[in-house]
C-alpha cells in the first residue's frame, strides 16, 4: 500500500511539474518578441461629380465656354470669388464681403488713356 501511495505521489508531482513547465514558456518571458501587426493601407475614397445636363458641352476650356451647359460645369468645378444665385443675388465665396461703392470698399478712379 505504501508503495502505491509513494508512486501515486510521485506521479502527481511529475504531472503538476510538467504542466507547470509547459505552461510557463520561460524563454518568452525572459525575451519577449513583439507581435507583428499587418499594415493594411486604407483605400482612398473615390470622389465623383455628377452633373445632370440636357446635353454635353462642346468644350470645358474656360475662355471658350459659350453654352449654358459648359458654364454650369465650370461653375461646379472651379470655385470663383463669387457665386451668382438663381434670383440674381451675388454671394461672396472666397471673399469676406462684396466690395461696394456705398461703403467705400470699392471706388472709381478716372485715368487718361
Amino acid at each position: 500500500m505504501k508503495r502505491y501511495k509513494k508512486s501515486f505521489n510521485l506521479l502527481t508531482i511529475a504531472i503538476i511539474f510538467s504542466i507547470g513547465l509547459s505552461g510557463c514558456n520561460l524563454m518568452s518571458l525572459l525575451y519577449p518578441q513583439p507581435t507583428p501587426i499587418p499594415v493594411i493601407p486604407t483605400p482612398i475614397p473615390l470622389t465623383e461629380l455628377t452633373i445632370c445636363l440636357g446635353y454635353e458641352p462642346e468644350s470645358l476650356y474656360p475662355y471658350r465656354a459659350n453654352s449654358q451647359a459648359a458654364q454650369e460645369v465650370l461653375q461646379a468645378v472651379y470655385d470663383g470669388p463669387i457665386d451668382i444665385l438663381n434670383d440674381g443675388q451675388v454671394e461672396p465665396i472666397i471673399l469676406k464681403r462684396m466690395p461696394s461703392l456705398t461703403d467705400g470698399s470699392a471706388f472709381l478712379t478716372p485715368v487718361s488713356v
Side-chain angles (χ1 to χ4, degrees), residues 1-17:
M1 187 83 169
K2 249 182 176 186
R3 193 173 122 195
Y4 290 117
K5 194 173 193 183
K6 187 177 182 183
S7 63
F8 179 74
N9 286 343
L10 285 175
L11 183 63
T12 305
I13 290 172
I15 290 173
I16 290 173
F17 186 70

Side-chain angles (χ1 to χ4, degrees), residues 40-91:
I40 301 171
T42 56
I44 298 173
L46 298 175
T47 55
E48 199 171 288
L49 176 66
T50 303
I51 302 173
C52 299
L53 300 172
Y55 58 94
E56 185 176 345
E58 292 179 19
S59 173
L60 290 180
Y61 183 62
Y63 301 111
R64 193 168 173 238
N66 53 5
S67 66
Q68 181 67 27
Q71 290 175 359
E72 289 176 3
V73 172
L74 290 173
Q75 183 179 8
V77 174
Y78 298 110
D79 196 15
I82 60 170
D83 275 351
I84 300 174
L85 303 177
N86 289 339
D87 57 354
Q89 296 293 325
V90 178
E91 178 183 8

